[in-house]
Amino acid sequence: MTAATNKVEVFNGFSQWLGFGNRGVLADNDPVEQEKAMECDALLTNAVIFHNALDIAEIVRQLLEEG
């Protein structure tokens, strides 16, 4: 339980660090617009994590080729 909670907290912290625009303040009181903003933020965070994983995999592949 603690490990799962820690993963979520780390993801949220990274998402907040990565976030941009209005310093993370939701400017609209419309729940639909708030959900869109949060989903876009999560999408951006996941895209950065995925890109980092691809970069790491490429570096590992290069290191394996070099021996």
Side-chain angles (χ1 to χ4, degrees):
M1 185 69 160
T2 301
T5 302
N6 288 343
K7 287 179 186 179
V8 170
E9 288 178 1
V10 168
F11 179 87
N12 288 337
F14 181 62
S15 182
Q16 185 177 14
W17 177 81
L18 189 62
F20 61 91
N22 207 21
R23 298 181 188 156
V25 175
L26 297 174
D28 201 332
N29 285 335
D30 181 10
V32 173
E33 293 302 318
Q34 289 177 346
E35 186 174 354
K36 283 182 193 176
M38 290 186 302
E39 291 295 327
C40 288
D41 191 37
L43 178 63
L44 175 64
T45 303
N46 284 321
V48 170
I49 291 169
F50 182 68
H51 190 275
N52 285 343
L54 290 177
D55 286 347
I56 290 169
E58 177 63 21
I59 290 168
V60 168
R61 185 190 63 74
Q62 289 174 0
L63 289 171
L64 287 173
E65 284 180 0
E66 294 173 6

